[in-house]
Amino acid sequence: MSGRALLMWDEAVTGYDFGPQHPMDPVRLALTMGLVRAFGLDRAVDVVAAKPAGDSTLRLVHREDYVAAVKAASADPRHADQAYGLGTVDDPAFAGMHEASALIAGQSVAAAEAVWRGEAEHAVNFAGGLHHAMPGGAAGFCIYNDASLAIARLLELGVERVAYVDVDVHHGDGVQAAFWEDPRVLTVSLHEHPRTLFPQTGWPEETGAAGPGEGGAVNVALPAGTGDAGWLRAFHAVVPELLADFRPQVLVTQHGADTHFDDPLAHLAVSLDAQRAVQEACHELAHACADGRWLALGGGGYAVVDVVPRSWTHLVGIAAHAPVAPETVVPSSWRDEVYARTRQLGPGRMTDGRWPVDFRAWTAGYDPADRLDQAVLATRRAAFPLRGLLA
């Protein structure tokens, strides 16, 4: 296996653009790639532009009628069919929507293929992670579910066990739905509690379809306001034990940056330092549990200048085995780019000054009166016995 990492990038992914008033501003992708280049990380990885996913690939997850509806709306946004979630406030139709969405999906699928075939050890597609799209409809700013497509392609190639870990602030509902009945895929999602955030799913009791799929979905519903120590405590109380037991052949992770305390669309209080710590943990788990095979995706994140580019640049550096130190000053050339593109002042350093982030390990004991510990307990009690693990 090559020790190199792939970074999937094509400038055309910035064409995934719902319009000037939409929170998912594609400038976040351009600024991330700009920061990657400012640190020279594009020389520590192999930068690859893959082809868009074709119809046969899209149909690994998405219904043929839905793909046809996306194409129709893409050719003429006036023909967007809201029955498929298109032309809505969350997912406005735009010209070229199919092409941009298929391109992002193609990057994730090609990255998964390269990792499985040993052409690279790790791969990153920070334009991906569009985890809400369903087989028959768009949802939550997501048209095609590139994460599900990458996993489905791995299964098509003969992979027997794929683990998907989602740390976006929103539940990874589309990926869970795609593999609800498939024991070959373990989906784990840590997210803000569905009582307080879209998509109102991801309850601990959602554990997979009865029968072979039972125990294949694991959900940690975190109380609004959860900060660094609680977020890391929950991650380490659930994810490592599950992955050690499941022994995935490939680990796919989704790193939405919208858990951050500055994100305008959610209510967790996580810092860049904690996001970086979870990225490092996922990297270590890929080596410990999946022979190093790791596909890392982006996802949500709507603090498009201050948070997203820094978080995902850390992700690229970690995957490239060239991590950016938390105390590093942001290059002035990138801050100039930020101002030129957005007329905003960019951040001055690479994290929020909280490194190293401390948390109390689950093995040290728990407090049944603590809301965070109650959330972890609910998950462990619902899902762990189904996998033969102690709650």
Side-chain angles (χ1 to χ4, degrees):
M1 178 186 294
S2 168
R4 292 285 287 181
L6 297 184
L7 174 58
M8 313 305 295
W9 178 250
D10 186 321
E11 296 284 347
V13 298
T14 60
Y16 191 82
D17 186 353
F18 291 112
Q21 305 306 316
H22 197 279
M24 187 178 263
D25 188 335
V27 75
R28 68 196 193 126
L29 304 178
L31 289 178
T32 300
M33 193 61 194
L35 190 54
V36 165
R37 288 174 175 141
F39 278 113
L41 292 173
D42 56 327
R43 298 189 296 275
V45 297
D46 295 327
V47 180
V48 174
K51 295 179 180 180
D55 286 3
S56 62
T57 297
L58 293 174
R59 287 200 297 268
L60 291 174
V61 169
H62 295 291
R63 295 199 322 246
E64 187 173 1
D65 59 316
Y66 173 59
V67 175
V70 174
K71 288 181 177 180
S74 182
D76 185 346
R78 294 173 300 177
H79 292 163
D81 188 342
Q82 292 196 5
Y84 290 101
L86 304 169
T88 63
V89 172
D90 276 359
D91 297 287
F94 59 92
M97 179 171 63
H98 166 75
E99 290 77 10
S101 303
L103 179 62
I104 291 172
Q107 309 298 308
S108 292
V109 170
E113 291 173 344
V115 167
W116 177 242
R117 290 170 175 161
E119 297 163 8
E121 190 172 37
H122 310 324
V124 178
N125 179 23
F126 57 74
L130 304 179
H131 59 170
H132 294 307
M134 293 291 177
F141 314 161
C142 305
I143 305 301
Y144 294 140
N145 196 317
D146 64 287
S148 293
L149 289 163
I151 294 169
R153 177 60 176 149
L154 289 169
L155 299 177
E156 188 178 52
L157 290 172
V159 180
E160 296 175 349
R161 295 180 307 282
V162 181
Y164 172 77
V165 176
D166 188 318
V167 296
D168 193 288
V169 78
H170 302 91
H171 176 224
D173 57 339
V175 185
Q176 175 179 286
F179 303 105
W180 185 248
E181 300 177 356
D182 196 330
R184 297 173 296 175
V185 181
L186 171 67
T187 64
V188 186
S189 179
L190 289 85
H191 46 266
E192 185 178 328
H193 201 285
R195 276 196 297 262
T196 53
L197 195 66
F198 174 89
Q200 284 79 50
T201 58
W203 297 80
E205 295 78 16
E206 296 173 31
T207 55
E214 198 167 41
V218 180
N219 289 288
V220 187
L222 300 168
T226 296
D228 289 358
W231 195 60
L232 291 174
R233 176 169 166 81
F235 179 92
H236 286 280
V238 172
V239 178
E241 189 173 349
L242 288 169
L243 295 189
D245 172 71
F246 187 63
R247 297 178 297 109
Q249 293 167 290
V250 183
L251 175 63
V252 180
T253 57
Q254 197 268 21
H255 297 271
D258 43 9
T259 52
H260 195 270
F261 52 74
D262 276 345
D263 197 90
L265 299 188
H267 318 97
L268 295 191
V270 173
S271 71
L272 275 157
D273 303 80
Q275 291 179 350
R276 185 184 186 279
V278 160
Q279 293 165 4
E280 286 197 330
C282 289
H283 181 213
E284 292 167 3
L285 287 166
H287 283 286
C289 303
D291 294 326
R293 299 187 189 93
W294 181 33
L295 169 57
L297 307 172
Y302 310 101
V304 299
V305 170
D306 286 344
V307 177
V308 174
R310 291 187 293 164
S311 185
W312 292 347
T313 296
H314 279 300
L315 180 64
V316 173
I318 289 164
H321 297 115
V324 178
E327 64 273 13
T328 304
V329 173
V330 173
S332 60
S333 60
W334 182 75
R335 298 186 76 204
D336 292 342
E337 179 185 352
V338 168
Y339 189 77
R341 287 183 179 271
T342 68
R343 291 298 185 263
Q344 297 181 43
L345 297 176
R349 60 184 177 184
M350 279 302 288
T351 56
D352 296 318
R354 299 184 180 182
W355 192 268
V357 183
D358 293 325
F359 68 95
R360 192 166 62 92
W362 188 254
T363 52
Y366 58 85
D367 179 358
D370 180 82
R371 292 176 66 218
L372 186 282
D373 285 6
Q374 288 172 1
V376 173
L377 277 170
T379 297
R380 292 182 63 98
R381 288 170 175 168
F384 276 45
L386 299 174
R387 305 205 61 84
L389 302 173
L390 294 176

